[in-house]
């Protein structure tokens, strides 16, 4: 049994992770920690992997504290830029932490990660590509980080294949063509009833390919979280790793 602690356990994601850990046959809950509780309770003596879903302002300190205590961490909280990742990488390189692993994923939904991967593979074969991301209206950023990643991946694949600009005769500055990310148009829909959805459209004369990912609720992230927990607990990974694709053997 893999002993899993959950940090941010009363939150929307944290409580879903608690249920997933309790439901899985090979994991058991070792500790739950929320705002105001002492994270030092989580130690290698009682926990194999801590899962951290809190708030961007607390996440780095939580992860550094867990690493300092000798604990492996799977992190889902957003806001992990290069500076934050570099701090964790640097601590993990110290001799006393060389056997530990921290894994950070901006998106634990396998469908979304695969959609990104397949889009990068398809991009070189099509004249046109556009992205439509659709989310619940309470999401504060637009376009979504996932859609931005997809756009960058498509742009890189097009550059690597020597493709030029996409055809677009609109000559419109009216704002109806979405945000242009490295030449890729990204459209954001915010609609009550939706959760997290992305469509990546590719076009050639006479044909179209649509890659679509639908995450209907928070359960969509749990298969990815448990996969990360199992991989980190296996001891095969040390140091800092990012992105669920690390474990998907793509
Ligand atoms: P949430 O419902 O607000 O939950 C956050 C929880 O963390 C709350 O219970 C909060 O307690 C607690 N918390 C705050 N500061 C803490 C600290 N210093 N130590 C321990 N616990 C602390 O948010 P959520 O919807 O679960 O989302 C959590 C994070 O996951 C966000 O950054 C979100 O963007 C991200 N997310 C990532 C993915 C992914 O696939 N990677 C998917 C969905 C969401 P209080 O309310 O008492 O402050």
């Amino acid at each position: 049994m893999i002993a899993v602690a959950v940090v941010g356990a009363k939150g929307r994601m944290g409580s879903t992770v608690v249920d997933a850990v309790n439901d899985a046959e090979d994991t058991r809950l070792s500790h739950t920690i929320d705002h105001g509780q002492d994270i030092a309770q989580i130690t290698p003596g009682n926990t194999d992997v801590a899962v951290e879903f809190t708030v961007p302002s607390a996440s780095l300190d939580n992860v550094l504290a867990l690493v300092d205590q000798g604990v492996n961490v799977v992190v889902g909280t957003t806001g992990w830029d290069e500076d934050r990742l570099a701090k964790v990488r640097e601590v993990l390189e110290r001799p006393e932490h060389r056997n530990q692993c921290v894994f950070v994923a901006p998106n634990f939904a396998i469908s979304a990660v695969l959609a990104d991967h397949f889009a990068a593979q398809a991009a070189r074969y099509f004249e046109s590509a556009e992205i439509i991301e659709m989310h619940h209206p309470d999401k504060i950023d637009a376009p979504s980080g996932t859609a931005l990643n997809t756009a960058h991946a498509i742009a890189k694949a097009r550059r690597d294949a020597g493709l030029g600009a996409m055809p677009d005769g609109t000559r419109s500055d009216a704002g109806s063509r979405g945000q242009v990310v490295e030449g890729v148009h990204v459209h954001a829909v915010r609609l009550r009833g939706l959760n997290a959805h992305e469509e990546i459209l590719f076009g050639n004369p006479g044909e179209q390919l649509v890659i679509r990912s639908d995450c209907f609720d928070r359960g969509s992230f749990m298969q990815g979280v448990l996969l990360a927990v199992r991989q980190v607990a296996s001891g095969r990974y040390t140091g800092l790793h990012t992105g669920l694709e690390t474990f998907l053997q793509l």
Side-chain angles (χ1 to χ4, degrees):
M1 291 292 261
I2 304 168
V4 182
V6 180
V7 182
K10 289 188 184 152
R12 285 165 294 198
M13 285 299 289
S15 56
T16 313
V17 174
V18 166
D19 291 344
V21 167
N22 281 328
D23 288 348
E25 287 183 351
D26 58 342
T27 55
R28 70 174 174 81
L29 202 59
S30 64
H31 261 87
T32 58
I33 295 286
D34 220 76
H35 212 171
Q37 291 176 304
D38 187 6
I39 204 164
Q41 293 172 34
I42 303 173
T43 69
N46 57 41
T47 295
D48 298 309
V49 182
V51 177
E52 206 268 2
F53 276 101
T54 61
V55 289
S57 57
S59 189
L60 176 64
D61 286 348
N62 284 339
V63 172
L64 290 176
L66 289 164
V67 170
D68 191 47
Q69 284 149 220
V71 177
N72 299 309
V73 197
V74 166
V75 189
T77 310
T78 45
W80 279 82
D81 58 17
E82 252 320 305
D83 284 353
R84 288 171 175 223
L85 293 171
K87 280 189 185 118
V88 173
R89 196 178 289 117
E90 187 258 310
V91 175
L92 286 169
E93 279 165 6
R94 295 179 195 160
E96 64 271 32
H97 299 303
R98 285 248 166 92
N99 292 328
Q100 286 172 250
C101 178
V102 172
F103 174 74
V104 183
N107 197 329
F108 277 98
I110 289 175
S111 62
V113 175
L114 287 179
D116 234 21
H117 180 74
F118 296 147
Q121 286 186 318
R124 59 182 299 193
Y125 301 109
F126 291 89
E127 227 180 290
S128 300
E130 301 216 2
I131 299 168
I132 308 170
E133 59 92 327
M134 296 156 275
H135 283 84
H136 58 85
D138 306 319
K139 185 171 178 59
I140 49 177
D141 55 329
S144 70
T146 299
L148 290 175
N149 279 346
T150 312
H152 288 303
I154 290 171
K156 180 178 183 311
R158 289 179 65 90
R159 260 196 320 275
D160 290 349
L163 297 184
M166 294 182 214
D168 180 359
T170 55
R171 294 190 205 129
S172 164
D173 60 358
S176 58
R177 296 281 294 116
Q179 180 173 328
V180 186
V181 181
E182 284 196 84
V184 182
H185 291 253
V186 184
H187 309 268
V189 176
R190 295 292 173 266
L191 199 70
R192 186 63 75 203
L194 293 178
N195 186 42
H197 317 261
E198 187 179 4
E199 259 185 19
I200 307 142
L201 293 84
F202 294 100
N204 267 340
E207 65 170 348
Q208 185 188 33
L209 171 69
V210 180
I211 298 172
R212 180 172 171 123
S213 146
D214 290 288
C215 295
F216 299 111
D217 58 34
R218 279 178 210 101
S220 61
F221 302 116
M222 292 306 116
Q223 209 191 327
V225 170
L226 289 175
L227 172 68
V229 163
R230 289 177 183 122
Q231 294 294 324
V232 169
S234 74
R236 281 196 292 273
Y237 295 86
T238 57
L240 177 71
H241 296 271
T242 60
L244 199 62
E245 59 277 13
T246 309
F247 302 135
L248 293 179
Q249 298 177 333
L250 299 171

